[in-house]
Amino acid sequence: MAALRALRKSKTLQYGVPMMLLIIGGSFGLREFTQIRYDAHKLHCKVDPALEERIKKNQVTLESEYEKLKDSSLDDWKNIRGPRPWEDSKSFQEQQR
């Protein structure tokens, strides 16, 4: 009986054991909740096979874009600034051109 009283008054049993249970149990709980998140993300990101084929067929590569821009003249470009918030955007852009 005296040993039980001593164990109940022990700071380790009173505060340490519940804290360890909370930390260990929390890690298992967090693992389950994060797994649900990743599983839901996998289900949500599935793509229609027909759409996937269209995406693969219309691949734009860096080389193809380079070929388009290779022949264009970049020496005669004009820098047009955007309008200020207090300026009318349409009329200002017409003036700049």
Side-chain angles (χ1 to χ4, degrees), residues 25-75:
S27 69
F28 284 111
L30 280 175
R31 185 186 67 194
E32 294 300 320
F33 283 118
T34 55
Q35 188 63 41
I36 291 169
R37 174 183 166 198
Y38 292 126
D39 290 344
H41 184 69
K42 282 181 186 176
L43 290 175
H44 188 68
C45 290
K46 296 213 178 202
V47 179
D48 183 36
L51 179 63
E52 191 173 346
E53 286 297 320
R54 275 186 42 202
I55 290 171
K56 285 182 181 178
K57 194 171 23 172
N58 293 335
Q59 281 289 5
V60 177
T61 62
L62 188 61
E63 289 80 15
S64 66
E65 290 299 312
Y66 174 73
E67 292 298 324
K68 287 180 191 175
L69 292 174
K70 185 169 61 171
D71 297 328
S72 64
S73 173
L74 298 176
D75 294 331

Side-chain angles (χ1 to χ4, degrees), residues 6-20:
L7 283 176
R8 284 183 59 186
K9 289 188 177 187
S10 171
K11 296 280 184 187
T12 303
L13 276 178
Q14 207 170 18
Y15 298 109
V17 172
M19 183 64 157
M20 294 305 287

Side-chain angles (χ1 to χ4, degrees), residues 83 86-97:
W86 56 86
E87 296 172 339
D88 182 30
S89 65
K90 298 244 185 236
S91 64
F92 186 77
Q93 287 177 358
E94 291 301 320
Q95 287 175 353
Q96 290 289 319
R97 291 184 183 164

